[in-house]
Amino acid sequence: METVGLGFCFEDLPVGRQFKTIGRTVTETDITNFVNCTGMVEVLFTNLEFLARERDTKQRLAPAALVYAFAEGLLVQSTMQHTGLAFLHMELNVENPVFAGDTVHAECEVIEARRSRGRPDRGLVRTRVRVVKHDGNDRADLHAAPHGQMPG
């Protein structure tokens, strides 16, 4: 019987392959739990009165770190189970805000794939990940380099 939900192996991820994940709605509870768990108790995330009086944005903002974590979670669920993943590097550019109630998904493109020099039975894969809101606006470009060591 076939097992579904397993991740991609190195051979499944040639340069140029693109895919997207399912969506995930960011909730007020997600933001509250995240800022309390991480200690990111910035008023932009915790104080609606401040937002109403001091900011052009009246909605509760989601920390970029939360949105990034959701994108990684969506990718793990869809592509990385049982792959021996090792997260090695990331650059993050935040371009647009995400608010409570926004739904995001990740769009992934393989930009480099090669055999490991030290372990030729493994591969290194570098990806470019865009987190996209349901309205089509980018949230961030996440560059993960190399994004994993995957069995060959």
Side-chain angles (χ1 to χ4, degrees):
M1 180 176 292
E2 178 184 15
T3 301
V4 296
L6 299 179
F8 295 136
C9 291
F10 172 74
E11 293 84 4
D12 300 322
L13 296 167
V15 172
R17 180 162 186 187
Q18 297 180 8
F19 52 88
K20 72 177 189 175
T21 67
I22 62 172
R24 168 74 157 83
T25 300
V26 178
T27 67
E28 292 265 350
T29 302
D30 293 328
I31 295 168
T32 299
N33 288 337
F34 185 83
V35 299
N36 287 329
C37 176
T38 62
M40 296 179 76
V41 290
E42 161 65 41
V43 295
L44 289 172
F45 311 133
T46 62
N47 188 329
L48 291 177
E49 270 305 304
F50 172 79
L51 291 175
R53 286 185 284 111
E54 305 290 333
R55 305 290 298 184
D56 293 336
T57 303
K58 307 302 182 204
Q59 300 168 273
R60 186 182 305 273
L61 289 159
L66 168 65
V67 177
Y68 154 73
F70 277 5
E72 276 297 300
L74 291 168
L75 285 165
V76 166
Q77 292 170 36
S78 60
T79 67
M80 299 177 196
Q81 297 297 332
H82 290 229
T83 63
L85 172 74
F87 187 84
L88 301 175
H89 175 78
M90 179 184 77
E91 296 173 18
L92 174 66
N93 298 317
V94 178
E95 298 182 6
N96 290 295
V98 169
F99 301 101
D102 284 344
T103 299
V104 297
H105 70 270
E107 296 180 355
C108 186
E109 177 184 9
V110 177
I111 59 174
E112 179 184 350
R114 64 173 175 81
R115 292 270 175 209
S116 170
R117 291 181 187 96
R119 297 181 68 187
D121 62 328
R122 304 258 175 197
L124 295 174
V125 177
R126 183 185 313 251
T127 61
R128 178 175 296 117
V129 178
R130 282 183 39 207
V131 180
V132 180
K133 291 188 346 181
H134 63 281
D135 64 6
N137 287 327
D138 287 281
R139 165 61 175 161
D141 282 327
L142 309 175
H143 306 281
H147 199 94
Q149 296 186 358
M150 301 182 187

